[in-house]
Amino acid sequence: MNFPLFFKRILAALACVGILTFATARVLAAEHAEAPKAVAGQAAHAETPDAHGHDAHGHGGPDSSDIVQQFGYSYLTAFMFVLSLIVASMFFILIHHLFDAAWSVPVMRIAEHMANLIFPWGFAALLPIIGLALAGKLHPWMPLTDWSLTPTAAADPSLAVKSVMFNKLSFTVLLLGIFGFWAWMARSFRGYSLAQDKDGAAIWTRKARFLAGWGIFAFSVTVTVAVFLLMKSLQHQFFSTMYGVYYFAGSMWTTLATYYGITRWLQRKELRPVILPNHIHDLGKWFFAFTVFYAYIHFSQYFLIWNAAVPEETFWYVLREKGTWEHMGFLILFGHFFLPFLLLLRIDTKMSLNVMGPMIFWAWLMHYVDMTYNVMPVLYPKGLNITLWDPLCFGALVAVFGWAWLKDFRAFPAWPQKHPRLKEALVHHEIPKAGQAAAHH
Amino acid sequence: MAKAAAIPAGVAAKADSHDHHAPPQLKVAEPPKELEREPLVLNNRSLTWITDAIAGVCEKPMPKWWWPAFILSAGTMGMMFSLIAYLISTGVGVWGLNQPADWAWDITNFVFWIGIGHAGTLISAVLCLLRQKWRTSINRAAEAMTIFAVACAGIFPVVHTGRVWFALFPGYLIPFPNSNGIWPQFRSPLLWDVFAVSTYGTVSLLFWYTGLIPDLATLRDRATHKVRRFFYGLFSLGWTGSNRHWSNYEKAYLILAGLSTPLVLSVHSIVSFDFAVSQVPGWHTTIFPPYFVAGAIFSGFGMVLTLMIPMRALFNLHDIITTRHIELMCKVLLATGSIVGYAYGMEFFIAWYGGSPYELYAFKNRAFGPYWWSYWSMITCNVISPHFFWFKKLRTNVVFVWIVSCFVNVGMWFERFVIIVTSLHRDYLPSSWGYFTPTWVDVFTFVGSFGLFMTLFLLFIRFLPAISITEVKAVTPQADPHHPLGGAKGHHH
């Protein structure tokens, strides 16, 4: 590997992303400037209370100068990031069992421990969000509701229609219930897997498959509801049938990048006997696949809303086309899709730690940007505003969850010892020639 | 997701040179007996038996049922073309279309057939990239089905324009430089459909043909009649089975698989844009692209089962299209049916959540309005019926599976009917409301499209190997040098 050349290429790629991000935003800004009336029309709508989370009477909107709200929004952004890793790990386990997969056996413990971060750590991390939300520091609609299920926000029709879901009681009970269900499911899957380590009995596989069978339905519904309550409801007027899938797609992308990094790290340590170049390649391929899937989902959501131009939907993106949020949008377009897509196309780059190492950090950065893009415009409608809370919240949550994961990983066998598909997972025949060399260096 | 140790077709020897095993110190136990995977070719069949069984279908005289089936299908196809001639000579008024339902059976049929055309390329391309070895027994027929379904689908959007010469010549659909400077409306998703479907059809045809080449050479070498030998020889492009040929073939196949995968997603996503880019309540919903793709895979696999189960029985191919294959296809139906069910639920949820009275009315009207029967037919067929496949007993009962696959076909037609007609028939103004009823021309044109589909399919099984001979051989134990029966070690029947 020619390192100077390699770094030059990486820098060139990043420069391209930067130029495209800012240049495109400039071009579009110039185009908008030519049609002041249209913009004024849009902006007028965007300035309505709906767009910024204020109710029809102008109260209840977030205050960007309130230090508690600054902390709350930063914390929520970081929380949605780490929740992505947990939720996607749960999905990884579910489909592993549903599809009777073999290739994923060596990395199953990585997923099982990550999913189990939901309890107690996920729960503990959720409590401040519930507290802040109930105190009216997060979701702008919360002060308009109370602990009953009856409509209390008749002044805001879009809130009144869903008052059964949008009130203090439902918010608290639903989130605690969903997190409790996830905790039970994650604990059960890991319990079956650890029990099979001892006796290798088929019954544990059968139990896991049965749980995965109905669990996938419960999972899809609970993820959708949780994401709606935690993140989408920051602007409760916005509705998109794709939103749950959108969060899921980004979560899988980041989580697969994380698995890739952990697997490469453990390849020469605890997982040495079971990780073959093909497993690395498989993880790289899934990372690539979800690069495309996320782009497909986000493009579809944006494109359909933009093309139909229904004001009840467009306000969400109109807000995110103001100030530096527009640059963030283009950063997601080029950085979340084009850069990883082009870099991951080749087999050898998927196997090269020199490419994939920076790519994992880039994926984390892009997913954090994506979460910021979803959460922060509500508090800072004029543009991106980074406070000290952002690195503090993110750093603290990642450190705690990372430490907890590592503690669990060290406490149990590093891979499912007697998994019925372990043997199959260790006889991968087809290994890309170019990739083999890269994987060994 | 599920993936076994894989040897791509024809490269067993190449894969061997890259083989990696777990370090010798790691002792891994065999899986418990009850969790062992069933073989993909039953009864330890030899390579010769596989060639004879598959090539024999198109070499031996056709069974007695083939001619009546062909005549019936061709007759039905003829009826469709006659009705199209009637429509073109008279006008689209012969169909039941009228304000406010300007689209009804025509576009329903188009989306229905395009959806069916998804399974073939999905099985060939996506499952190939995922190294799902079980695809080898069903991919060829499914690919053929794709092409025939796309041919059926292509008829309806062209014909529904009425004056088809405008659709094909400068004007509605085909961009063509002309002195009047008339161009199609490039911002219309219908025009994107033209490009998406034609690209998909072309690549699917290339993919199907590329896969056929080694098998056509096998038929050429076995042909006893010079006409057959000439045509098989012509289309097998001088294939000798040399290392160079295999190497080029594998590269081409993989590239086409890579190209086809985004096409599978794009075609039905663009078909969904026909509706979702609009502002019509019931059409404009952001989940439409992945929901349409999942629905297309669902309907495609439904049709694959509908055709493969009888074919397996009629040509005695039970050792190649095994119960395991049928079970796996049932699981795909279950998975995609569930995704479709999630989308149906999500649409209702957002109609309530969004608080738009028009949106909510559109969905209430679907379920409880004048077309309630179509909505509940769709729910029964698409959401409820696949859930029988949770039970192994039902997944392994081929008669039951065939019946459910027919339900899926019916349900997916109803899905498109529900989306199109129930969203259109009641406009914002109650004075504009209407009720669409098909005419006999509507009904028999659709029935006739099945004639076209079946005619092409019957010709396909008559003249071409309906299962990929080379790819099935590659998943047998003989092709795996590490298998106890691998290479020349075993005794095969």
Side-chain angles (χ1 to χ4, degrees):
Chain A
M1 168 68 73
N2 183 344
F3 281 102
L5 183 65
F6 167 74
F7 283 115
K8 273 182 197 167
R9 283 180 179 169
I10 292 281
L11 279 176
L14 289 174
C16 284
V17 169
I19 290 165
L20 286 168
T21 299
F22 288 95
T24 319
R26 275 294 171 90
V27 169
L28 283 184
E31 281 180 4
H32 280 210
E34 288 166 16
K37 280 184 183 172
V39 172
Q42 286 181 333
H45 185 81
E47 294 298 340
T48 59
D50 281 359
H52 294 166
H54 295 259
D55 76 314
H57 299 287
H59 59 71
D63 176 8
S64 59
S65 62
D66 181 349
I67 196 164
V68 180
Q69 294 206 25
Q70 286 178 2
F71 165 76
Y73 277 75
S74 299
Y75 184 81
L76 180 64
T77 307
F79 178 80
M80 293 311 291
F81 181 94
V82 291
L83 186 65
S84 295
L85 302 175
I86 296 171
V87 163
S89 295
M90 211 101 68
F91 183 76
F92 193 82
I93 298 167
L94 284 164
I95 53 168
H96 164 82
H97 290 298
L98 283 174
F99 284 69
D100 190 11
W103 75 274
S104 46
V105 174
V107 296
M108 273 314 287
R109 282 288 144 82
I110 298 174
E112 284 168 0
H113 296 313
M114 213 169 275
N116 270 281
L117 292 175
I118 194 73
F119 190 83
W121 306 105
F123 251 94
L126 174 70
L127 294 177
I129 287 177
I130 293 180
L132 286 164
L134 294 179
K137 297 293 182 185
L138 272 179
H139 301 85
W141 53 268
M142 194 65 85
L144 304 173
T145 66
D146 55 25
W147 287 90
S148 73
L149 303 180
T150 51
T152 53
D156 184 349
S158 67
L159 187 59
V161 291
K162 46 184 178 263
S163 54
V164 173
M165 186 174 166
F166 281 66
N167 60 72
K168 289 186 168 74
L169 182 68
S170 297
F171 182 84
T172 311
V173 170
L174 279 173
L175 282 177
L176 289 176
I178 287 168
F179 273 60
F181 167 70
W182 289 346
W184 172 80
M185 193 163 72
R187 192 55 62 101
S188 301
F189 278 125
R190 189 169 66 178
Y192 299 150
S193 184
L194 292 171
Q196 197 169 45
D197 277 1
K198 290 176 187 153
D199 58 13
I203 183 71
W204 305 114
T205 300
R206 297 226 171 276
K207 277 177 182 262
R209 283 183 194 170
F210 180 78
L211 176 54
W214 67 266
I216 190 80
F217 292 94
F219 172 82
S220 56
V221 172
T222 50
V223 169
T224 307
V225 173
V227 174
F228 272 48
L229 284 174
L230 286 167
M231 200 157 71
K232 186 165 134 170
S233 72
L234 291 170
Q235 287 171 290
H236 70 84
Q237 303 88 345
F238 178 60
F239 51 92
S240 163
T241 42
M242 189 80 104
Y243 199 81
V245 185
Y246 159 65
Y247 179 75
F248 158 78
S251 300
M252 280 303 289
W253 186 67
T254 318
T255 305
L256 287 162
T258 310
Y259 288 178
Y260 187 97
I262 294 174
T263 307
R264 291 304 293 259
W265 171 48
L266 296 172
Q267 186 187 14
R268 297 187 182 281
K269 298 182 176 194
E270 286 91 334
L271 291 179
R272 186 183 171 86
V274 289
I275 294 295
L276 304 175
N278 235 327
H279 298 120
I280 306 292
H281 187 219
D282 287 341
L283 283 169
K285 282 191 287 188
W286 278 109
F287 181 37
F288 175 72
F290 272 91
T291 304
V292 180
F293 184 69
Y294 169 85
Y296 168 65
I297 293 296
H298 201 170
F299 166 76
S300 298
Q301 177 174 279
Y302 179 83
F303 174 73
L304 291 175
I305 288 173
W306 169 78
N307 201 79
V310 178
E312 286 86 343
E313 295 173 338
T314 50
F315 78 91
W316 198 86
Y317 279 112
V318 167
L319 175 61
R320 283 158 181 80
E321 287 173 4
K322 286 181 182 300
T324 44
W325 291 122
E326 187 168 30
H327 298 106
M328 298 292 274
F330 283 108
L331 182 60
I332 290 171
L333 175 63
F334 295 110
H336 207 305
F337 175 60
F338 281 111
L339 179 69
F341 175 79
L342 294 172
L343 280 178
L344 294 171
L345 264 175
R346 292 174 59 92
I347 291 172
D348 54 353
T349 53
K350 284 197 275 283
M351 304 294 284
S352 163
L353 201 55
N354 292 324
V355 176
M356 293 301 285
M359 185 48 66
I360 292 158
F361 288 104
W362 183 254
W364 272 44
L365 176 66
M366 283 302 104
H367 190 53
Y368 186 78
V369 166
D370 193 20
M371 294 298 99
T372 304
Y373 185 75
N374 274 269
V375 173
M376 289 299 192
V378 181
L379 185 65
Y380 306 113
K382 289 179 182 165
L384 178 67
N385 187 27
I386 299 170
T387 66
L388 195 59
W389 293 121
D390 295 313
L392 278 179
C393 291
F394 182 76
L397 283 181
V398 168
V400 170
F401 279 75
W403 168 80
W405 180 87
L406 201 58
K407 193 167 76 69
D408 276 2
F409 188 79
R410 296 258 156 86
F412 300 104
W415 68 87
Q417 305 287 299
K418 293 181 181 173
H419 193 288
R421 301 283 173 245
L422 181 58
K423 186 162 188 171
E424 203 175 304
L426 299 180
V427 206
H428 262 324
H429 292 294
E430 190 196 357
I431 296 167
K433 202 173 179 181
Q436 269 193 70
H440 288 303
H441 288 92
Chain B
M1 182 69 190
K3 190 162 21 175
I7 304 176
V11 290
K14 191 174 82 179
D16 185 35
S17 65
H18 302 311
D19 188 21
H20 274 232
H21 287 285
Q25 68 270 22
L26 190 67
K27 297 276 183 229
V28 182
E30 291 291 338
K33 200 79 184 159
E34 60 177 298
L35 293 178
E36 276 180 6
R37 295 195 200 274
E38 289 163 33
L40 290 167
V41 177
L42 296 179
N43 294 323
N44 195 23
R45 294 297 189 180
S46 68
L47 301 182
T48 312
W49 184 91
I50 292 169
T51 309
D52 288 341
I54 300 171
V57 172
C58 47
E59 286 173 345
K60 291 177 198 161
M62 272 291 118
K64 283 179 186 167
W65 58 263
W66 191 88
W67 273 108
F70 180 74
I71 290 166
L72 181 68
S73 302
T76 315
M77 176 182 71
M79 176 184 72
M80 181 191 71
F81 284 118
S82 307
L83 289 172
I84 287 171
Y86 172 54
L87 177 134
I88 291 170
S89 60
T90 314
V92 281
V94 299
W95 282 346
L97 303 178
N98 211 335
Q99 288 284 3
D102 302 310
W103 277 356
W105 279 44
D106 49 353
I107 303 300
T108 300
N109 299 341
F110 162 64
V111 184
F112 170 75
W113 281 117
I114 278 289
I116 286 171
H118 263 63
T121 308
L122 179 101
I123 291 168
S124 301
V126 180
L127 298 187
C128 171
L129 293 182
L130 295 177
R131 292 191 240 148
Q132 296 288 305
K133 292 200 284 185
W134 62 274
R135 62 182 268 286
T136 54
S137 295
I138 51 167
N139 67 334
R140 175 69 50 73
E143 286 165 31
M145 212 186 68
T146 288
I147 296 157
F148 308 150
V150 170
C152 293
I155 290 171
F156 290 97
V158 173
V159 169
H160 102 296
T161 58
R163 292 180 288 179
V164 291
W165 50 94
F166 280 123
L168 298 173
F169 197 59
Y172 304 158
L173 300 175
I174 310 292
F176 193 89
N178 60 87
S179 54
N180 293 329
I182 299 168
W183 291 96
Q185 173 55 281
F186 285 106
R187 284 180 292 181
S188 163
L190 275 181
L191 192 69
W192 309 339
D193 270 340
V194 174
F195 294 106
V197 174
S198 55
T199 309
Y200 180 69
T202 309
V203 174
S204 297
L205 188 65
L206 278 173
F207 201 10
W208 179 62
Y209 179 58
T210 305
L212 266 170
I213 291 171
D215 288 356
L216 289 174
T218 304
L219 292 178
R220 172 200 63 196
D221 297 344
R222 291 165 58 96
T224 51
H225 195 282
K226 62 181 179 184
V227 176
R228 287 177 78 96
R229 194 179 307 127
F230 172 77
F231 280 106
Y232 287 132
L234 183 69
F235 287 107
S236 60
L237 306 177
W239 177 270
T240 61
S242 68
N243 187 39
R244 191 174 165 188
H245 283 181
W246 275 114
S247 174
N248 289 337
Y249 168 84
E250 289 294 338
K251 275 183 203 157
Y253 201 84
L254 201 61
I255 289 168
L256 283 169
L259 285 174
S260 301
T261 301
L263 283 175
V264 172
L265 293 176
S266 74
V267 174
H268 230 59
S269 298
I270 289 172
V271 170
S272 81
F273 289 168
D274 291 345
F275 311 102
V277 296
S278 72
Q279 297 177 339
V280 175
W283 281 10
H284 175 62
T285 173
T286 53
I287 207 168
F288 255 28
Y291 152 42
F292 265 53
V293 172
I297 296 164
F298 181 62
S299 67
F301 268 93
M303 188 59 95
V304 170
L305 279 166
T306 307
L307 294 180
M308 296 297 263
I309 288 173
M311 191 179 102
R312 168 182 185 257
L314 290 167
F315 294 107
N316 200 21
L317 295 168
H318 299 80
D319 286 350
I320 299 174
I321 304 169
T322 67
T323 312
R324 181 179 168 195
H325 290 100
I326 291 170
E327 263 204 275
L328 287 166
M329 284 193 273
C330 290
K331 287 180 186 175
V332 174
L333 281 188
L334 180 56
T336 47
S338 302
I339 295 171
V340 166
Y342 172 84
Y344 295 161
M346 203 61 206
E347 283 183 319
F348 256 95
F349 174 69
I350 289 292
W352 166 78
Y353 180 101
S356 162
Y358 303 108
E359 198 74 28
L360 191 58
Y361 178 78
F363 283 94
K364 278 185 181 168
N365 185 48
R366 264 185 197 179
F368 306 110
Y371 288 106
W372 63 269
W373 48 271
S374 62
Y375 181 81
W376 293 107
S377 301
M378 172 189 90
I379 293 288
T380 309
C381 295
N382 295 349
V383 181
I384 298 170
S385 73
H387 288 277
F388 288 112
F389 293 148
W390 284 111
F391 305 101
K392 192 177 174 77
K393 254 191 183 171
L394 298 177
R395 289 199 303 267
T396 50
N397 180 336
V398 285
V399 176
F400 183 81
V401 171
W402 188 80
I403 292 167
V404 172
S405 76
C406 293
F407 268 82
V408 170
N409 296 325
V410 172
M412 286 311 290
W413 188 88
F414 269 113
E415 181 195 285
R416 282 63 179 251
F417 178 81
V418 165
I419 290 170
I420 294 168
V421 176
T422 67
S423 303
L424 288 178
H425 85 110
R426 285 190 169 173
D427 212 333
Y428 292 98
L429 293 173
S431 57
S432 308
W433 288 4
Y435 188 86
F436 168 80
T437 310
T439 64
W440 66 274
V441 184
D442 274 303
V443 176
F444 287 105
T445 307
F446 176 52
V447 172
S449 65
F450 278 94
L452 171 62
F453 182 76
M454 284 311 298
T455 304
L456 294 170
F457 194 78
L458 287 166
L459 288 171
F460 161 68
I461 56 174
R462 176 71 188 90
F463 293 109
L464 295 170
I467 297 172
S468 173
I469 301 170
T470 49
E471 290 189 85
V472 168
K473 285 178 183 174
V475 298
T476 56
Q478 297 94 300
D480 181 359
H482 306 290
H483 194 278
L485 297 174
K489 285 174 278 195
H491 299 284
H492 310 290
H493 312 290

